[in-house]
Amino acid sequence: MRKELEAKLIARLRDDVVCVEKTDERTIFVDVKRAGFREATQIICGVGARYLCSVGYDNIDRDGTLAMVHTFALDDRNQFVCCRTAAPVDDPVIESITPDLPSAGWSEREVTDLLGLRFAGHPKPKKLVLADDWPEGIYPLRKDVPHDLVPQGAEDVAYQLDEAPPGTKIVPVGPFHPSLHEPEHFAVYVDGETIKGCDYRGFMTHRGIEKLCQTQVSYNEVPFIAERICGICGSVHATAFSQAVESAAGLVIPRRAEFIRTLMLEIERIHSNLLWLGVAGHLIGFDTVFMQAWRVREQIMWLCERLTGNRKTYGMILVGGVRRDITPEIAQDILTVVKKIEEELMVIYRAVEKDTSIHKRTKGVGTITRQQAIDWNLIGPVARARGVDIDARRDHPYAAYDEVKFEVPVLDSCDVWATLVVRVVETFEAIKIIRQCLDKMPGGEIFVEMKDKIPAQRHAITVVEAPRGESVHYVITGEENRPERWRVRAPTFTNLQAVPLMLLDEQFADFPIVMGSIDPCFSCTDRVAVVDLQTGNASSVSKAELDAMSRKHQERVKK
């Protein structure tokens, strides 16, 4: 593949191609001058590659540039292509690829916010990650910005929503809303009860995990922080980071450790799918499904506590392997629990499968076509429910997935109902994988120590199939036993960009389940909206103003 791609690039771009190299069996790196960057990505997509995410990083100290990587997957060949370029810091402009690949829009906006690299021709160059009152000219991911910087916020600034379509009204959903389980803000544009568009403002409290791990902690401390990226998919992120570092270092971990990682990932998948099934039932007012799914889920959480000491955030994954072994007694415990879950989930599924009220609330709802799902690079159950046959466990095997057999459910009704069916079926498949892991698990060690220092400036990419879809981790190794750059792209980052399309022409009453169908994971918020119930006027309150209001209230209570 490398030679084929190199020939196409040189034929089109000639001197703009710097080099094309294959660093391992899976990864091809393409370095081009910025003048040919967009065209290079078009050529890469032309050979069947699927866009993953983009990564920006600070090379100012090294060569006076801000660098950029667009990453792609060749799913039918189990390969990745990473296209790299750079722009001088005094002219930080690169041509945008968002007009060609809509789902690149957020990645490019994030790089603009955090590094100051701009993208010519971007269709929506609005602020994405930084707070509305973040000062201009301070780019948090640049190396000269301290990780604990707290800049003076600007005053009287607010996010500018997209213009509402003619004839529509704006219905705000969030930052706090009964149907949303985390704070986020949607401006939903409605004509009567029909949704005609929406705008999203998230990232209201950005935790700065990537910056923290690039400046303050070591390689083997990062997996414990990575677990806290998501309260549901902790093992996913810890595994993805560890695999990226292991790939960069050329470290081969024990086979038994790979089986244990696979086991933990599938246990996590069962937990996540049962949690989502319950939430989905709750969002359509069917709390019987909610209560039953969460009752069954509780068993997997008790099991995890016996396995790891925690109901969640297991702390099992390290660079080099895993922390705890699976004894014969624990293996029998796992088999007993998953057998009971399998039986009880089948009862729930048979009830849901024939329930007309669930059908009415999910069939034909949140519908987009298979081609639209491909155009927006949807992933996970959301994509598979719309006829897109992708799964990182099968297409890019990692851990022990090359030794286990499982089916990837793909449906073509392209709606919320199909998403529900996919996630339930995947739960049964997860149980099959767990049984195979325990049956085939080899003996041996569970951890290998990394004796040599990891060389700096090695790039590595890995994907892990989370319950919501693939998570992408990109690592550039650095000095001082920590990564120089670590980029995490969670599944929601991709799927959330297509939500406005999924909502288009749906009824406003279906907003909660359409949004909930992607199983979103949002950041927290530090800004609220205040609505005067008498006049209907809305205003924004800053964190400082909210603190002052709280203190005044406390003083009145004391008096």
Side-chain angles (χ1 to χ4, degrees):
M1 181 62 206
R2 186 193 67 79
K3 292 182 179 179
E4 175 189 345
L5 184 58
E6 184 176 24
K8 290 179 180 292
L9 288 165
I10 291 175
R12 288 266 297 273
L13 301 179
R14 300 186 183 279
D15 293 340
D16 282 339
V17 179
V18 177
C19 74
V20 179
E21 61 176 340
K22 190 172 183 181
T23 58
D24 55 41
E25 292 182 358
R26 295 188 180 190
T27 313
I28 301 169
F29 286 95
V30 177
D31 291 298
V32 299
K33 298 176 183 178
R34 64 170 168 167
F37 196 40
R38 180 179 177 182
E39 191 170 0
T41 64
Q42 293 171 345
I43 295 169
I44 292 168
C45 290
V47 299
R50 175 174 59 88
Y51 175 75
L52 296 175
C53 70
S54 300
V55 186
Y57 55 99
D58 179 355
N59 256 347
I60 296 174
D61 290 344
R62 190 169 291 110
D63 59 14
T65 66
L66 294 170
M68 188 71 181
V69 187
H70 294 314
T71 64
F72 302 84
L74 288 160
D75 296 318
D76 59 341
R77 307 189 192 192
N78 185 20
Q79 290 187 328
F80 302 104
V81 181
C82 302
C83 188
R84 302 182 293 202
T85 195
V89 70
D90 56 359
D91 182 25
V93 181
I94 293 174
E95 190 173 6
S96 172
I97 66 168
T98 302
D100 306 321
L101 300 165
S103 67
W106 277 20
S107 281
E108 291 185 338
R109 288 167 64 187
E110 181 182 79
V111 171
T112 298
D113 279 3
L114 300 182
L115 282 159
L117 190 59
R118 300 191 301 276
F119 296 88
H122 194 294
K124 190 177 178 179
K126 296 170 66 174
K127 190 174 286 187
L128 180 75
V129 175
L130 296 180
D132 298 333
D133 61 351
W134 187 268
E136 293 292 332
I138 299 178
Y139 303 107
L141 277 185
R142 290 196 183 181
K143 294 175 185 175
D144 60 352
V145 177
H147 79 281
D148 55 354
L149 174 70
V150 182
Q152 182 66 41
E155 295 293 334
D156 300 321
V157 293
Y159 182 77
Q160 298 300 309
L161 294 170
D162 291 347
E163 186 174 345
T168 64
K169 300 290 184 181
I170 300 176
V171 178
V173 180
F176 301 100
H177 191 274
S179 70
L180 301 175
H181 297 273
E182 293 178 82
E184 64 277 344
H185 179 246
F186 293 87
V188 185
Y189 309 127
V190 298
D191 181 1
E193 290 292 323
T194 304
I195 298 173
K196 293 299 181 181
C198 79
D199 193 13
Y200 171 73
R201 177 55 167 147
F203 303 90
M204 297 178 187
T205 297
H206 193 277
R207 292 172 290 172
I209 285 177
E210 292 176 358
K211 179 76 172 184
L212 176 71
C213 294
Q214 291 164 204
T215 58
Q216 300 300 305
V217 300
S218 66
Y219 284 117
N220 244 339
E221 292 171 316
V222 176
F224 300 103
I225 298 175
E227 278 197 307
R228 284 147 178 85
I229 290 172
C230 176
I232 308 301
C233 306
S235 291
V236 166
H237 290 292
T239 298
F241 171 80
S242 298
Q243 288 182 165
V245 174
E246 290 156 3
S247 176
L251 183 68
V252 178
I253 72 169
R255 189 60 173 161
R256 185 174 180 85
E258 291 185 322
F259 269 85
I260 295 174
R261 284 184 180 181
T262 304
L263 182 73
M264 293 307 302
L265 290 168
E266 294 307 313
I267 287 174
E268 195 167 67
R269 192 178 313 280
I270 294 173
H271 164 249
S272 180
N273 286 348
L274 288 170
L275 183 147
W276 177 84
L277 180 61
V279 170
H282 178 64
L283 291 175
I284 60 175
F286 203 134
D287 278 352
T288 300
V289 171
F290 167 67
M291 290 184 286
Q292 292 298 326
W294 279 39
R295 177 186 60 80
V296 176
R297 164 181 169 261
E298 192 67 17
Q299 299 171 62
I300 205 76
M301 301 189 75
W302 291 337
L303 173 65
C304 289
E305 186 172 10
R306 295 194 294 273
L307 290 178
T308 70
N310 289 318
R311 287 162 59 87
K312 202 67 195 71
T313 328
Y314 309 128
M316 282 283 284
I317 314 299
L318 289 174
V319 176
V322 295
R323 293 178 67 210
R324 295 182 176 88
D325 204 353
I326 301 296
T327 66
E329 294 76 19
I330 291 175
Q332 187 56 52
D333 192 7
I334 294 171
L335 290 172
T336 301
V337 171
V338 297
K339 182 176 185 297
K340 188 174 182 182
I341 288 175
E342 183 178 43
E343 293 169 351
E344 295 187 341
L345 180 59
M346 182 58 73
V347 174
I348 297 174
Y349 180 54
R350 285 172 178 164
V352 167
E353 185 182 24
K354 299 177 182 179
D355 191 279
T356 55
S357 62
I358 292 179
H359 291 183
K360 289 179 180 178
R361 292 300 309 275
T362 59
K363 287 188 174 181
V365 175
T367 302
I368 60 174
T369 66
R370 179 178 182 274
Q371 188 57 50
Q372 288 171 324
I374 293 172
D375 292 342
W376 282 91
N377 288 304
L378 294 187
I379 52 178
V382 180
R384 293 190 282 274
R386 289 160 179 85
V388 183
D389 188 5
I390 56 171
D391 191 309
R393 297 173 296 174
R394 178 198 63 198
D395 303 333
H396 306 279
Y398 51 92
Y401 285 107
D402 57 342
E403 264 193 64
V404 296
K405 296 181 180 179
F406 59 97
E407 299 295 325
V408 177
V410 179
L411 278 70
D412 59 5
S413 60
C414 302
D415 53 12
V416 173
W417 169 253
T419 306
L420 185 153
V421 173
V422 165
R423 293 198 72 156
V424 172
V425 173
E426 286 186 356
T427 307
F428 292 121
E429 293 298 315
I431 293 171
K432 285 169 53 177
I433 293 172
I434 287 171
R435 287 172 174 152
Q436 292 178 69
C437 284
L438 294 173
D439 182 54
K440 297 180 178 182
M441 189 178 297
E445 300 295 324
I446 62 171
F447 180 78
V448 59
E449 185 177 355
M450 193 182 312
K451 297 180 180 180
D452 298 326
K453 183 179 178 181
I454 301 175
Q457 289 303 296
R458 288 188 176 179
H459 292 229
I461 184 172
T462 187
V463 297
V464 171
E465 188 72 24
R468 296 181 174 98
E470 69 184 4
S471 290
V472 180
H473 284 231
Y474 192 98
V475 168
I476 303 174
T477 58
E479 306 290 346
E480 301 179 2
N481 196 34
R482 67 171 62 101
E484 179 171 310
R485 180 72 173 99
W486 172 39
R487 165 74 160 104
V488 179
R489 194 227 64 192
T492 301
F493 191 88
T494 293
N495 287 337
L496 191 58
Q497 295 179 70
V499 165
L501 188 63
M502 296 167 67
L503 288 170
L504 191 62
D505 294 326
E506 298 290 349
Q507 293 300 292
F508 185 76
D510 291 326
F511 175 93
I513 189 59
V514 173
M515 171 54 56
S517 70
I518 73 166
D519 195 10
C521 183
F522 302 102
S523 296
C524 297
T525 180
D526 59 8
R527 185 180 294 271
V528 299
V530 177
V531 179
D532 187 321
L533 295 179
Q534 294 182 339
T535 65
N537 295 329
S539 60
S540 292
V541 178
S542 70
K543 183 178 184 295
E545 291 170 329
L546 186 62
D547 289 342
M549 291 167 59
S550 177
R551 284 193 291 271
K552 288 180 180 178
H553 175 72
Q554 290 175 350
E555 290 173 1
R556 287 196 299 268
V557 171
K558 290 179 181 178
K559 292 178 181 179

